[in-house]
Amino acid sequence: MSRPRIVIVGAGFAGYRTARTLSRLTRHQADITLLNPTDYFLYLPLLPQVAAGILEPRRVSVSLSGTLPHVRLVLGEADGIDLDGRTVHYTGPEGEEGTLPYDRLVLAAGSVNKLLPIPGVAEHAHGFRGLPEALYLRDHVTRQVELAAAADDRAECAARCTFVVVGAGYTGTEVAAHGAMYTDAQVRKHPMRTGMRPRWMLLDVAPRVMPEMDERLSATAERVLRQRGVEVRMGTSVKEATHDGVVLTDGSTVDTRTLVWCVGVRPDPLVESLGLPMERGRLLVDPHLQVPGRPELFACGDAAAVPDPNQPGQYTPMTAQHAWRHGKVCAHNVVASLGRGQRKAYRHRDMGFVVDLGGAKAAANPFGLPMSGPAAGAVTRGYHLAAMPGNRVRVAADWLLDAVLPRQAVQLGLVRSWSVPLESSSPEVARVPGRPERTGTDTGSDLGKDPGQSGAEPDGEPAKTPPSEPAKNRPSGEPAKNQPGGEPAKNQPGGEPARNQPHAEPAKRGPSGSPRASGRPRRAVEAAGPRPARGGSGKPGKASRASGTGSAGKRPTAPSGPSRSARPPADPGPEPPANQPPPGPDIAPGPVKRTDGRAVEGDS
């Protein structure tokens, strides 16, 4: 008798815990496969410390193959699931396609940035859901402070050192708190010529900071933010974003070059393609984390609507604590479905929350006991060390070094603006030149651009786009053409998906209006040229990025964003004129000409 095949989609808190528990429970009696775009588990609560230069990126990245024995890791992103054929179709990191058969499937695809239909946000804001976004924000903030310090014009200096964070939830609050400390330390060493200081703003339509948490936690966090000079504006949000700044809902205008979008998350669009009962974009499951009518299908984490036993009629919130506990219960129930052990219903006990506000400041309520100050800081960091599945010693060492040594405020330029668009179905993966990408919006943010913000290179020369096309990012100009030989981006709310890959054809839409029909594999992307996406199966397709979540059977089609559809091969495009300089920090590298007349390839 063959061993049962268990496939887990996603290695977030829920997927990682499921894989680790299954590895222990099955005792080599099952084939466990984990499908994930990256080879690491990201400890998301410490991501703001990466952006603030406290922790190095690898500290919050736990190796999957090194910590999950007897689990096969497959790098790739799930494109579609054939429920009747019991197969998962995926695309690998280099465009290759594959299929994974299963006897039990665990959907733990997680969540992506939540985008609201606000003009200019998709083009000019950046999210905070993955390592690439944290690294980009760290470089970008550093660069803006350095450029502001060198600026003679007070208006330009004020715009560059103004940072707007939208969303006063858990993530936004920590980003603003750590960011204010980071920029203040920079200015303390190198004061600005005009005598100005960095300005941080935290906006939210909610009546208080972290409205979903305890009021005492909220009050503590707001007090710390205001002590650090952060402008906390409740009941206010962004009405429109431009490359020069943002217009707020109260009618005021803020000149800024930085807009960080932390308004929340929504489930990965993969779950919408299944055509199963949904609850506000999440796959509806029973208390045993099993999909009704599909005994072989389980779901957990942000992608699943799990009944909350403590609040009848409600579902567990999309938090790391719940996702981590979902994974353990899900693993036990998967094993029980194979005839070993008894099923367990999901139950939880609220252990409280911790919010790290930087330095010795934190807000915590372990087991309902409200705490603040150094004591809360110690509890918060102790909790994170205990919760991390690896790298504990390295994280503790970085904290110790940060307490006694100054931070290294340098920009490495490893992640560019166009690599981390807000509209992305995989925020954990940065866009890379030469690698096939999803058909989707390449925001090429002006507001988030590092050098010059208005189409200028660091040396003052006009910005050059990748070979053959000039930049068209002016407020009154055409949409940016951010890829070699690409079409103009069409990513305004209500517009068409961007067509900015080299010589790409638009994906053919199926009956549901999405670029690809669910349950059928996409055609392989070959070096010879792109092929249109397969459609017409009659099943609901992968949902396009929209401002909200649709129902299981019929989903909105506008405003749209990236979907997992067929991707064309990379094409560097035609050579530029002989006098073109190398690409700038926010421009995708392409072939350039040497001054001696010999053509060479640009760095990737």
Side-chain angles (χ1 to χ4, degrees):
M1 181 178 178
S2 61
R3 299 197 301 180
R5 298 163 299 183
I6 304 173
V7 174
I8 305 168
V9 177
F13 279 89
Y16 180 87
R17 186 74 182 279
T18 301
R20 194 170 75 168
T21 308
L22 279 173
S23 175
R24 175 175 55 86
L25 294 177
T26 56
R27 300 177 183 177
H28 318 294
Q29 300 302 311
D31 293 327
I32 307 172
T33 301
L34 178 61
L35 177 64
N36 197 59
T38 64
D39 64 349
Y40 60 83
F41 158 75
L42 175 63
Y43 190 74
L44 198 61
L46 293 182
L47 202 58
Q49 298 192 26
V50 174
I54 300 174
L55 298 177
E56 290 303 311
R58 284 189 175 89
R59 304 296 186 259
V60 299
S61 310
V62 179
S63 170
L64 295 177
S65 57
T67 57
L68 295 177
H70 316 299
V71 175
R72 175 194 173 205
L73 173 64
V74 175
L75 292 178
E77 301 175 44
D79 295 315
I81 299 173
D82 186 350
L83 296 176
D84 296 329
R86 295 195 177 188
T87 54
V88 177
H89 308 289
Y90 70 92
T91 301
E94 296 182 354
E96 69 279 11
E97 305 232 347
T99 301
L100 296 174
Y102 65 83
D103 297 306
R104 296 293 184 273
L105 175 64
V106 178
L107 280 178
S111 55
V112 297
N113 290 312
K114 182 180 180 180
L115 184 62
L116 302 179
I118 300 175
V121 166
E123 295 78 21
H124 304 301
H126 289 285
F128 203 80
R129 288 292 300 163
L131 269 180
E133 293 169 321
L135 292 175
Y136 167 75
L137 182 62
R138 179 174 169 176
D139 274 4
H140 173 75
V141 169
T142 304
R143 180 176 294 122
Q144 293 309 305
V145 173
E146 292 171 348
L147 292 175
D152 294 323
D153 181 65
R154 289 186 62 87
E156 180 185 357
C157 178
R160 290 194 181 281
C161 63
T162 297
F163 308 95
V164 178
V165 180
V166 184
Y170 184 98
T171 301
T173 300
E174 288 197 338
V175 168
H178 283 281
M181 288 189 66
Y182 181 62
T183 53
D184 284 346
Q186 280 187 268
V187 175
R188 195 177 302 119
K189 292 184 178 180
H190 304 285
M192 299 182 184
R193 294 183 186 178
T194 55
M196 304 183 69
R197 66 183 300 270
R199 175 191 183 194
W200 284 80
M201 298 180 64
L202 182 62
L203 313 177
D204 203 308
V205 295
R208 59 185 176 90
V209 173
M210 298 189 299
E212 69 279 5
M213 299 184 185
D214 185 89
E215 290 188 11
R216 287 169 290 189
L217 278 181
S218 174
T220 300
E222 184 171 347
R223 182 175 65 252
V224 172
L225 289 172
R226 294 189 184 278
Q227 289 174 351
R228 291 186 183 159
V230 178
E231 296 182 34
V232 181
R233 296 194 185 184
M234 295 292 98
T236 306
S237 188
V238 173
K239 181 179 180 181
E240 181 182 1
T242 68
H243 79 281
D244 288 325
V246 293
V247 179
L248 305 184
T249 53
D250 61 6
S252 60
T253 300
V254 178
D255 294 334
T256 181
R257 301 292 188 268
T258 308
L259 180 59
V260 187
W261 194 253
C262 302
V263 298
V265 295
R266 74 181 187 93
D268 191 287
L270 174 67
V271 299
E272 296 185 17
S273 67
L274 301 179
L276 296 175
M278 310 285 289
E279 176 63 33
R280 301 183 64 180
R282 303 162 71 184
L283 194 60
L284 196 61
V285 298
D286 61 21
H288 302 94
L289 308 179
Q290 202 164 18
V291 177
R294 291 284 179 177
E296 78 285 357
L297 181 59
F298 296 79
C300 54
D302 290 351
V306 182
D308 190 340
N310 296 335
Q311 302 182 46
Q314 302 295 320
Y315 299 92
T316 57
M318 298 165 65
T319 64
Q321 278 193 24
H322 282 289
W324 189 251
R325 298 168 183 172
H326 287 175
K328 181 178 180 180
V329 174
C330 184
H332 279 278
N333 290 337
V334 168
V335 173
S337 71
L338 297 174
R340 297 180 56 183
Q342 299 294 323
R343 296 198 306 169
K344 297 181 178 180
Y346 178 70
R347 296 185 180 279
H348 69 91
R349 179 188 176 192
D350 187 4
M351 301 178 64
F353 282 92
V354 294
V355 182
D356 192 325
L357 301 174
K361 300 295 181 67
N365 62 343
F367 303 104
L369 177 64
M371 302 176 66
S372 61
V379 170
T380 297
R381 296 202 168 182
Y383 168 80
H384 287 314
L385 287 179
M388 288 192 69
N391 297 344
R392 295 186 180 95
V393 175
R394 290 184 171 91
V395 169
D398 274 6
W399 283 340
L400 178 61
L401 292 175
D402 180 70
V404 298
L405 297 176
R407 298 181 197 175
Q408 294 177 298
V410 296
Q411 46 169 321
L412 301 178
L414 300 179
V415 181
R416 317 298 174 84
S417 174
W418 50 265
S419 299
V420 284
L422 181 63
E423 288 186 295
S424 173
S425 54
S426 292
E428 65 273 21
V429 179
R431 294 189 178 183
V432 178
R435 188 185 71 186
E437 300 291 349
R438 294 181 186 80
T439 301
T441 304
D442 191 349
T443 58
S445 167
D446 280 323
L447 199 63
K449 278 192 182 296
D450 300 328
Q453 302 302 324
S454 57
E457 299 284 356
D459 57 4
E461 292 292 327
K464 305 291 192 301
T465 57
S468 80
E469 289 294 336
K472 297 183 181 179
N473 281 344
R474 303 288 189 253
S476 60
E478 298 178 26
K481 298 183 178 180
N482 289 327
Q483 294 292 338
E487 294 291 328
K490 299 179 181 179
N491 50 15
Q492 295 294 334
E496 300 178 12
R499 297 179 294 172
N500 48 16
Q501 296 295 332
H503 316 299
E505 297 179 10
K508 295 182 180 180
R509 295 187 173 271
S512 65
S514 65
R516 182 187 53 79
S518 169
R520 301 187 61 178
R522 301 176 306 165
R523 297 189 178 183
V525 179
E526 300 177 357
R531 296 181 181 179
R534 184 180 298 179
S537 68
K539 297 181 181 180
K542 170 77 71 171
S544 298
R545 290 298 309 274
S547 60
T549 55
S551 61
K554 187 175 183 181
R555 290 172 297 281
T557 58
S560 62
S563 59
R564 295 186 173 99
S565 57
R567 294 179 282 185
D571 184 355
E575 293 187 354
N579 60 352
Q580 175 172 313
D586 273 323
I587 302 301
V592 299
K593 278 206 170 185
R594 298 167 56 103
T595 56
D596 57 8
R598 292 181 297 163
V600 297
E601 286 290 327
D603 295 332
S604 60

